[in-house]
Structures are given as structure tokens and as C-alpha cells.
Amino acid sequence: AQAVNADAISYLSIIRTEDNMIERRVAVPGSVHHTLITPDDKFAIATHPGNGGVSIVDLVTYDVKLVRTGPVPNFAVAAPDGGAVYVSNAGNNTISMLDTKRWIVRWNIEVGDGPEHMVLSADGYYLFVNNTGDGTVSMVSLPQGTVEKTFSIGGYLHGIDLSEDGKTLFVAGRDTNKISAIDLKSGAIKNQSLSPAPYHLATIKGTGKLYISSADDDKIWVVDQKSLKTLTEIAVPERAHQMVVFQ
């Protein structure tokens, strides 16, 4: 996504992977922070922190619909069955659930201060939310629409992901220079120093490893999930931001 001023137009670029050519550029209203493709590959979602909404792009017609979710929408994740998209609204401490059949907000759940990055459990039952304003993680039960647990870590939290078995939640503490592993059953939190500025993180199925980017250095750490010890580092040309895994 190419982000410009909040009141201007941004463009989502659709790139053909076979030849890396830009097939189409779709104009959307306002600056773009994160993007998402729904599980059925029919829609693209773009969050607009500057205008309180998300763009819904039909990937067949390329029509664009703006849906207001709340102030400073930051991140979006889709339910495994594609029936819902969840958006974190950092400006009013809520998560919005979008019904993907009608593209309307069905409900809002209040979480911690400044919710941003999120991850869903594999069954779509739980949503885990990093709250950057108070250094907590909210464990949201989606069927009940309530915060079931709150884990206090401290600092400015950024990347978040689950272990393959869904029993451990990993969180990057960007300003505290640490990564945390939360045992979701007991609530125990294990911390490991990692510097400088651990940023986004991703688990890779079947490897037992975490891949964590640095916000300050041009590298990605490879970390063992159980011990949280660094196994190796991967140099990258520029600062690495968000990562996505395909296998």
C-alpha cells in the first residue's frame, strides 16, 4: 500500500506474481496502515487510521466501500470461515466485528488502552489483542463477546502470534527490548531480552521457530519458541516491517 496524507487518496497495488507487474491500482480514501485479503479471496480490506474507517475492495469489480468502525482503526484479521473481519480501533479502545455478508459493524468490544495488532486462534474462538497504551494483551472470547483474560506485560507491545499448538502466545516488546511467551492455560509469562527494538513477529508451522524483525536494525532474528534463545540472524537490505508466511 502507498500511504499519503489522511485526507488524500492512497492506492492499493495488485501485483501479478508471475512477472511482478502491477496489474491494477485501486484508489482508496485516506492513508493506509494495514491490508488484508479475506479467506475467500473476494475482498481486500485496508485500514485508514486518519478517517475512522476501513475500505472494502471487491476484487472482481474493484468497487470500494468505506465502513466506519471507530477512531484510528489500525489492524484487521479475518475469521477462518470468512464470516467476519475484526478491526482494532486504537482511538477508542474497541474491537469492531464486521459482518462480511452485509459489510456492517455488528458489535464493538471494549478492550485495553490503544489496541493495535491482533491474532486469532486457529478455530476462530479467541482473539488476542496487543494494547499499546497500557502494555496488556486482551484475550477476547468471540462467541461471548467479552474479554475473558488480560495479561499484563508492560511497555509498548507490537508483534503478536500463536504457537502451532495454540497454547503459547508470543509478544514483542518494542521499547522494552524483550519478547514474551504467555502460557495461555496458566497465565505464566516468560520474558527474554532481545535488542534492539523487536518489532513484528511470525511463527512458522512445523519449525518451532519465531521470526522477529527489528525496528532499528536491518535484520530478522530466528528464535527458538521453547527457550526464546536466538538461533541466528538474517540480514535484510532495509528495516524489515510486517512479515507473512506461506508454505
Side-chain angles (χ1 to χ4, degrees):
Q2 175 187 346
V4 292
N5 294 331
D7 295 330
I9 295 296
S10 296
Y11 294 91
L12 303 181
S13 297
I14 299 172
I15 301 171
R16 288 196 309 265
T17 56
E18 60 187 30
D19 56 10
N20 294 328
M21 295 295 293
I22 295 177
E23 187 170 285
R24 182 183 289 266
R25 298 175 77 228
V26 181
V28 292
S31 62
V32 175
H33 194 190
H34 286 103
T35 56
L36 168 75
I37 301 295
T38 54
D40 59 8
D41 295 331
K42 292 183 178 179
F43 297 93
I45 316 297
T47 63
H48 301 299
N51 68 7
V54 298
S55 284
I56 314 300
V57 182
D58 187 312
L59 295 177
V60 175
T61 65
Y62 298 104
D63 292 335
V64 178
K65 177 180 181 179
L66 180 67
V67 179
R68 303 287 183 183
T69 59
V72 197
N74 186 284
F75 198 73
V77 294
D81 65 1
V85 167
Y86 304 96
V87 178
S88 58
N89 303 301
N92 68 355
N93 307 330
T94 64
I95 305 300
S96 295
M97 189 276 263
L98 294 178
D99 180 330
T100 59
K101 291 183 178 179
R102 297 183 59 194
W103 291 115
I104 59 174
V105 175
R106 286 291 186 186
W107 47 250
N108 292 293
I109 295 175
E110 188 171 357
V111 289
D113 184 14
E116 291 192 359
H117 295 95
M118 306 180 290
V119 64
L120 268 169
S121 61
D123 59 6
Y125 193 95
Y126 288 111
L127 178 69
F128 300 91
V129 184
N130 272 349
N131 302 306
T132 61
D134 58 15
T136 66
V137 177
S138 297
M139 178 176 173
V140 180
S141 171
L142 294 172
Q144 280 72 41
T146 59
V147 176
E148 188 168 305
K149 295 180 182 179
T150 299
F151 304 101
S152 295
I153 297 176
Y156 186 88
L157 308 180
H158 207 88
I160 184 171
D161 206 352
L162 285 160
S163 60
E164 186 173 348
D165 62 11
K167 296 179 180 180
T168 305
L169 183 71
F170 301 101
V171 182
R174 180 175 174 177
D175 65 334
T176 55
N177 294 314
K178 69 180 182 183
I179 51 174
S180 300
I182 304 172
D183 184 311
L184 295 174
K185 184 176 181 180
S186 69
I189 300 174
K190 179 181 180 181
N191 298 309
Q192 176 66 44
S193 296
L194 191 66
S195 182
Y199 202 20
H200 281 270
L201 61 81
T203 59
I204 296 183
K205 191 179 297 183
T207 68
K209 298 174 182 177
L210 288 170
Y211 289 75
I212 306 169
S213 61
S214 170
D216 289 348
D217 279 356
D218 301 339
K219 66 181 180 182
I220 293 170
W221 293 282
V222 182
V223 172
D224 181 78
Q225 290 185 22
K226 291 185 177 179
S227 68
L228 300 185
K229 299 295 185 181
T230 299
L231 301 174
T232 189
E233 296 180 1
I234 301 171
V236 291
E238 300 288 345
R239 299 290 191 272
H241 190 210
Q242 188 175 358
M243 297 172 285
V244 65
V245 177
F246 72 96
Q247 292 178 290

